[in-house]
Amino acid sequence: MCDQCNYRQILSDAGLSPTRHRVRVLEVVGNNTCPLNAQEIFDTLRRSHSINRVTVYRILDSLVDNGIIERISGGRASFFGLAPNAHHQRHPHFFCRLCGQVNCLTPQSVPVDVAPLRRVFPGIINSVEVRVDGICKNCLKNNA
């Protein structure tokens, strides 16, 4: 959860109008402790706002395209979390092969330093994703 990010300013800085729907989608993504898939974001929004599912998907695509959030690979679905910014360091994610949950790992757990890669790779690197797969503690406990 982020109490340091000004979502309206983040949208404006990216050249996007801070519409009510964009701000609300960004709040849902940014105020969660773990990445969410599009359905979870839509379900959360639908509880308090009238919003179309297609609108949510379009906003998510726009936020990814503008570097505001990142698309994180999960099992069959993509998950969404805040992209690295002044208040959020680049960090790896853990994917549970049993329940499909994606969780953020601390930046120190598996360092994600792209500087050495940028020095030797002759192209443009837009994003780097580090995902650790395994079985989460809840699934271990429930399947013991």
Side-chain angles (χ1 to χ4, degrees), residues 70 84 88-92 106-107 112-114 118 126-128:
E70 58 185 358
H88 300 278
Q89 292 181 17
R90 184 177 307 281
H91 60 274
T106 64
V112 184
D113 183 7
V114 297
R118 285 197 168 112
N126 291 324
S127 67
V128 173

Side-chain angles (χ1 to χ4, degrees), residues 19-37:
T19 65
R20 181 173 55 97
H21 287 323
R22 283 183 184 143
V23 170
R24 189 65 187 119
V25 168
L26 194 50
E27 286 173 346
V28 169
V29 171
N31 290 344
N32 269 282
T33 58
C34 63
L36 301 172
N37 65 40

Side-chain angles (χ1 to χ4, degrees), residues 41-114:
I41 294 166
F42 174 69
D43 290 343
T44 301
L45 289 166
R46 190 172 56 177
R47 288 185 208 130
S48 60
H49 290 74
S50 175
I51 191 167
N52 181 296
R53 180 186 315 269
V54 174
T55 301
V56 172
Y57 279 84
R58 286 182 181 155
I59 290 171
L60 290 171
D61 285 341
S62 174
L63 295 176
V64 168
D65 291 345
N66 284 279
I68 297 171
I69 64 173
E70 58 185 358
R71 185 177 279 117
I72 302 157
S73 61
R76 292 184 176 153
S78 292
F79 290 77
F80 299 90
L82 287 177
N85 64 37
H87 304 292
H88 300 278
Q89 292 181 17
R90 184 177 307 281
H91 60 274
H93 296 92
F94 179 84
F95 172 73
C96 179
R97 292 183 295 115
L98 293 181
C99 68
Q101 181 71 37
V102 173
N103 289 293
C104 297
L105 298 174
T106 64
Q108 299 79 18
S109 61
V110 179
V112 184
D113 183 7
V114 297

